[in-house]
Amino acid sequence: MTGRQAYQKLAALCARSEHCQQEMLDKMRQWGVDKEEQAQVMERLIKERYVDDERFARAFVYDKIRYSKWGRRKVEQALWLKHIDEGTGRQILDEVDDEEYLKILRPMLKQKQRSIKAQSEYERTKKLIKFAIGRGFTLDLIKQCLEVDDVDDTLD
């Protein structure tokens, strides 16, 4: 595939949805575009604002937190895998308020709690923590949710 063909395909792809530089480079590598043409195509895509890693990261973080219900750690790892600049990723994640994560985590833990089979409250809590950490949430947020749930149970 030539650089011109790759540019046309990638521009059309980027016009439909956000993509990062790494995804575009991976596609060109799959298509067998040589390294020199890859660099030229990437330069043009960036110059014409088809590819913007910061814009991609904002959309990615928003989608993964709100729709996939991922926590900060899992989103950070996914951004790292996409080769997004660490400073850019951290800045965007810092803009997300802890309350946003709590709005997602509380109902998720309540729902998971119903399906957990445990011999004791300690074992149930341990399983909930393990589940939430697997979804990428930090221990301090998990503890906040579990303490709130304990207070709610005593008020009922």
Side-chain angles (χ1 to χ4, degrees):
M1 177 178 285
T2 67
R4 181 187 215 40
Q5 292 170 321
Y7 170 78
Q8 290 172 340
K9 279 182 107 170
L10 294 175
L13 183 66
C14 289
R16 288 191 302 266
S17 62
E18 291 293 340
H19 294 279
C20 65
Q21 291 180 38
Q22 188 62 41
E23 291 172 339
M24 300 297 99
L25 290 170
D26 290 345
K27 288 215 178 285
M28 286 190 280
R29 223 173 280 121
Q30 287 174 345
W31 296 337
V33 178
D34 72 60
K35 290 219 182 258
E36 195 173 298
E37 284 183 318
Q38 284 181 25
Q40 291 171 351
V41 170
M42 278 308 303
E43 188 178 316
R44 186 170 173 197
L45 287 170
I46 292 168
K47 183 178 158 205
E48 295 177 4
R49 305 228 350 115
Y50 280 110
V51 175
D52 181 341
D53 278 354
E54 184 175 343
R55 190 178 64 217
F56 166 81
R58 282 190 190 289
F60 185 83
V61 167
Y62 176 84
D63 287 350
K64 293 304 178 190
I65 291 172
R66 286 183 180 83
Y67 301 116
S68 299
K69 298 182 182 351
W70 286 7
R72 180 184 174 102
R73 299 288 172 236
K74 194 166 182 172
V75 175
E76 277 177 344
Q77 185 179 30
L79 289 173
W80 180 81
L81 289 171
K82 299 232 179 243
H83 299 274
I84 301 299
D85 178 61
E86 190 177 325
T88 302
R90 188 175 303 120
Q91 175 192 350
I92 293 167
L93 283 165
D94 286 346
E95 292 172 7
V96 179
D97 189 35
D98 279 354
E99 198 56 43
E100 188 76 29
Y101 293 115
L102 291 171
K103 278 188 225 172
I104 293 164
L105 185 58
R106 280 187 185 119
M108 193 186 326
L109 286 175
K110 277 195 184 296
Q111 183 177 8
K112 184 67 177 174
Q113 191 169 16
R114 291 185 204 115
S115 66
I116 288 180
K117 298 192 181 353
Q119 300 293 324
S120 66
E121 193 58 38
Y122 173 79
E123 187 180 343
R124 173 177 280 111
T125 303
K126 187 173 131 184
K127 287 182 177 185
L128 285 171
I129 291 171
K130 187 175 178 180
F131 167 76
I133 286 175
R135 295 300 298 245
F137 291 93
T138 57
L139 194 55
D140 61 322
L141 290 177
I142 298 167
K143 284 182 177 180
Q144 282 182 42
C145 289
L146 293 176
E147 289 168 5
V148 167
D149 288 346
D150 292 344
V151 172
D152 289 347
D153 291 344
T154 56
L155 294 175
D156 290 344

